[in-house]
């Protein structure tokens, strides 16, 4: 009446705001890439609520549903993730895990556009498949094979080894078969008739040098026989009325 008339206070009532996850880790980047592993680094989140206890590093492949995650201590800012496939594209996400009110809260993943990604390096392919020989002649053969089950990169060429006998391993540099236009056969000539041969083949990727598969083979085959060359120096020694004497070498 003629101004504010205020009651006594009710309360107090005490409450606490709930915790929230920290902001995402910053500066996520790739330090080193290998054929089956990667080294990832990051910086601490700008805003940390609670106690930062761990980070979660997750990798997904560009295609498919595959995903793997590793947890590391909140005191570190880098880690190595292994057991990856060679020559495969991956996307990286890093989350911060904080303890708030006895609960573990994960931040959103790092938000980068384009996403932080990498491709693992190439490694040696698995051996070629289905090695066999066809069109075996007296002096030639066709060697055929199928591409490796696991290319682990881009197959640049094949190496074919052939030698007579029963050697368990080949020697020499072999015959190079360019694979820039996919090719899985080789015609070989200059062989010796009625001879046992063995043949092997390897696949080759290129990444800081040759990455050569284990050998496929050996496959054993024998060249067939062929007619001899004609006799030489054929001549007539003597001639009679009803016969002739012929000579040759």
């Amino acid at each position: 009446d003629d101004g504010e008339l205020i009651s006594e206070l009710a309360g107090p009532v005490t409450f606490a705001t709930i915790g929230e996850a920290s902001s995402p880790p910053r500066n996520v980047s790739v330090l080193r890439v290998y054929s089956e592993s990667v080294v990832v680094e990051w910086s601490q989140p700008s805003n940390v609520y609670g106690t930062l206890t761990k980070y979660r590093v997750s990798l997904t492949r560009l295609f498919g549903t595959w995903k793997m995650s590793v947890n590391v201590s909140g005191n570190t800012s880098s880690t190595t993730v292994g057991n990856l496939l060679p020559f495969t594209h991956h996307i990286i996400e890093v989350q911060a895990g904080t303890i708030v009110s006895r609960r573990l809260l994960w931040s959103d993943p790092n938000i980068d556009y384009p996403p932080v990604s990498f491709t693992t390096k190439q490694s040696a392919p698995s051996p070629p498949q289905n090695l066999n020989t066809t069109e075996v002649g007296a002096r030639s053969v066709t060697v055929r094979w199928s591409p490796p089950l696991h290319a682990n990169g881009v197959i640049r060429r094949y190496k074919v080894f052939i030698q007579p006998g029963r050697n368990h391993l080949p020697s020499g540099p072999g015959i190079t078969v360019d694979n820039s236009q996919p090719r899985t056969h080789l015609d070989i000539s200059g062989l010796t008739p009625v001879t046992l041969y063995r043949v092997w083949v390897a696949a080759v990727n290129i990444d800081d040098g040759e990455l050569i598969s284990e050998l496929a083979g050996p496959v054993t085959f024998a060249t067939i026989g062929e007619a001899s060359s004609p006799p030489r120096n054929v001549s007539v020694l003597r001639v009679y009325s009803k016969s002739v004497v012929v000579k040759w070498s």
Side-chain angles (χ1 to χ4, degrees), residues 9-218:
L9 294 172
V13 171
T14 302
F15 70 96
T17 54
I18 64 172
E20 67 177 3
S22 300
S23 58
R26 299 171 297 119
N27 305 321
V28 175
S29 63
V30 173
L31 275 182
R32 289 180 294 279
V33 178
Y34 305 98
S35 61
E36 297 181 4
S37 63
V38 63
V39 182
V40 183
E41 71 170 357
W42 59 88
S43 301
Q44 184 172 302
S46 299
N47 300 308
V48 176
Y49 305 109
T51 303
L52 179 59
T53 61
K54 61 182 68 177
Y55 291 99
R56 174 184 290 163
V57 180
S58 300
L59 301 183
T60 56
R61 291 180 188 149
L62 186 59
F63 302 103
T65 59
W66 179 91
K67 183 174 183 176
M68 73 174 298
S69 298
V70 295
N71 292 340
V72 297
S73 167
N75 296 323
T76 189
S77 59
S78 67
T79 191
T80 300
V81 182
N83 297 318
L84 306 181
L85 291 179
F87 202 59
T88 303
H89 193 73
H90 299 80
I91 295 173
I92 304 171
E93 294 180 344
V94 182
Q95 296 169 270
T98 51
I99 298 294
V100 180
S101 301
R102 298 184 180 180
R103 293 189 304 156
L104 176 63
L105 300 180
W106 289 104
S107 73
D108 290 331
N110 54 293
I111 302 171
D112 297 278
Y113 187 82
V116 179
S117 63
F118 67 96
T119 299
T120 45
K121 287 182 174 290
Q122 300 185 66
S123 69
S126 60
Q129 304 178 94
N130 305 318
L131 177 62
N132 66 94
T133 57
T134 62
E135 303 167 36
V136 179
R139 298 179 181 272
S140 63
V141 67
T142 297
V143 181
R144 301 183 184 276
W145 61 89
S146 301
L149 180 62
H150 303 292
N152 295 336
V154 179
I155 305 297
R156 300 291 186 179
R157 53 181 172 261
Y158 294 96
K159 288 190 175 183
V160 178
F161 303 87
I162 184 169
Q163 58 190 51
R166 297 182 178 274
N167 294 336
H168 293 292
L169 291 174
S171 60
I175 305 168
T176 298
V177 179
D178 182 73
N179 196 51
S180 55
Q181 297 293 326
R183 181 180 171 193
T184 54
H185 74 278
L186 176 66
D187 297 322
I188 301 175
S189 59
L191 305 181
T192 302
V194 197
T195 302
L196 191 70
Y197 284 90
R198 281 188 164 183
V199 64
W200 301 258
V201 64
V204 182
N205 292 342
I206 304 293
D207 192 344
D208 298 327
E210 283 192 339
L211 303 169
I212 304 176
S213 75
E214 294 183 359
L215 292 170

Side-chain angles (χ1 to χ4, degrees), residues 211-245:
L211 303 169
I212 304 176
S213 75
E214 294 183 359
L215 292 170
V219 167
T220 302
F221 70 95
T223 51
I224 64 175
E226 67 177 5
S228 300
S229 57
R232 298 172 297 115
N233 306 318
V234 177
S235 61
V236 175
L237 282 181
R238 289 181 293 277
V239 178
Y240 303 100
S241 61
K242 295 184 179 181
S243 64
V244 65
V245 178

